[in-house]
Amino acid sequence: MLKDKEQTIIEVQQLKKSFGDDVVLKDISETVKAGQVICVIGPSGAGKSTFLRCLNVLEEPTSGKVLFEGSDLTGIKEEELNHLRQKMGMVFQSFNLFPNLTVLDNLQLAPLKVRRLSADQAQKQAHKLLTQVGLADKAAEYPASLSGGQQQRVAIARALAMDPEVMLFDEPTSALDPEMVGEVLKVMRDLAHSGMTMVVVTHEMGFAKEVADQIWFMADGYIQEKGKPEDFFAHPKTERAQDFLSKIL
Ligand code: ADP
Ligand code: MG
């Protein structure tokens, strides 16, 4: 998936999001370029999940624009939105696999129904993706028989089965037992190295340091500070970031 590195994949313009009187995102304007890996970090309640959900308009912004490859996702028809949204894979803390389907069927369902791949194409792709996430031998299993780490890797493979342009991750390892975090981060690291454009909300600072092109530090509904990981972690500029890092590192 070699892309023009200057190509803008997501552009957010003056994004604001309120829930009632609660102004959660105050004024965010940022761009994500092709192949970039952005790690969004910050304290609980900062608005990180809301921000991520605004990127694919799972939350409708109160004002501002979200452009995906140049198309404004705000205020468009549901059908058009769904079409564009297919190109944005999302992985949540909870894996949300279909419990009544095998791993293989979890991976084939949307490609068959939405992308209209042939049965043969969908099956080939599913096996390829299972190999990519290290679960080639689990195709016939049901989700309940897999560990949390394995289920999350299936969830990543399922998102990839839609052939997305960008992958959004919201704390994908937060619900996992510690010994399973590494296997999921490895899949994400490999994906980043393959050139996938990624926006990752995470508390895994080791991963962020190693894999991110940019850290976006969020607090109080703003991106307070952003920079290369080596700069941000060694020399955070804002007091908010210094305070946050002093508590977690
Ligand atoms: P983070 O992911 O950084 O912990 P969130 O985006 O989940 O932060 O939440 C930011 C704030 O927005 C919190 O105060 C939360 O209660 C509020 N919030 C998030 N989603 C909703 C919602 N659907 N309705 C009302 N308030 C919400
Ligand atoms: Mg969150």
Side-chain angles (χ1 to χ4, degrees):
M1 77 192 62
L2 287 177
K3 290 194 197 114
D4 175 0
K5 290 274 175 193
E6 288 308 303
Q7 187 193 344
T8 295
I9 303 292
I10 301 174
E11 181 170 359
V12 173
Q13 299 174 347
Q14 297 176 300
L15 172 66
K16 297 190 179 102
K17 177 67 184 177
S18 307
F19 295 103
D21 293 337
D22 189 10
V23 186
V24 172
L25 301 180
K26 291 174 182 161
D27 186 0
I28 299 181
S29 297
E30 297 293 346
T31 56
V32 180
K33 300 218 158 178
Q36 264 190 330
V37 178
I38 309 289
C39 283
V40 181
I41 67 171
S44 180
K48 304 181 299 297
S49 294
T50 304
F51 174 65
L52 206 66
R53 292 166 62 83
C54 280
L55 295 184
N56 62 1
V57 197
L58 281 177
E59 295 287 359
E60 179 79 30
T62 304
S63 65
K65 285 185 179 176
V66 178
L67 306 178
F68 173 66
E69 298 188 328
S71 302
D72 188 359
L73 300 182
T74 58
I76 61 172
K77 287 202 197 95
E78 195 67 18
E79 196 185 340
E80 201 183 339
L81 176 61
N82 283 335
H83 179 70
L84 291 166
R85 210 187 251 148
Q86 284 163 28
K87 292 283 159 193
M88 311 173 92
M90 186 142 186
V91 176
F92 302 91
Q93 191 173 319
S94 52
F95 334 117
N96 305 324
L97 296 173
F98 303 116
N100 55 332
L101 297 182
T102 63
V103 165
L104 194 73
D105 285 338
N106 264 278
L107 296 196
Q108 296 186 126
L109 187 66
L112 287 171
K113 292 219 157 156
V114 183
R115 288 180 66 203
R116 305 202 178 278
L117 296 190
S118 70
D120 186 48
Q121 284 171 319
Q123 198 179 61
K124 276 199 184 122
Q125 176 190 252
H127 283 295
K128 183 166 158 267
L129 288 168
L130 283 178
T131 303
Q132 184 179 333
V133 300
L135 295 171
D137 56 339
K138 301 294 186 195
E141 306 271 344
Y142 284 85
S145 71
L146 304 182
S147 72
Q150 291 170 334
Q151 289 186 53
Q152 191 61 303
R153 286 187 279 152
V154 173
I156 293 170
R158 188 177 59 174
L160 291 172
M162 289 302 286
D163 193 24
E165 296 288 331
V166 57
M167 287 283 285
L168 310 175
F169 293 88
D170 192 359
E171 298 196 27
T173 60
S174 292
L176 298 177
D177 290 335
E179 72 271 23
M180 292 168 188
V181 170
E183 66 195 59
V184 172
L185 293 180
K186 180 188 180 301
V187 166
M188 293 170 63
R189 191 181 295 116
D190 291 347
L191 196 57
H193 289 153
S194 80
M196 178 60 77
T197 311
M198 294 164 58
V199 182
V200 185
V201 175
T202 187
H203 292 295
E204 294 292 333
M205 296 302 145
F207 175 84
K209 264 186 203 172
E210 185 197 326
V211 179
D213 295 298
Q214 265 190 31
I215 305 291
W216 292 357
F217 172 70
M218 235 179 132
D220 300 331
Y222 291 103
I223 292 177
Q224 308 266 354
E225 184 167 342
K226 52 181 189 167
K228 293 195 163 125
E230 55 270 31
D231 297 329
F232 176 80
F233 286 108
H235 310 288
K237 292 190 198 75
T238 59
E239 217 168 293
R240 284 308 303 266
Q242 288 162 8
D243 182 54
F244 175 73
L245 291 174
S246 75
K247 285 179 180 143
I248 56 154
L249 293 180

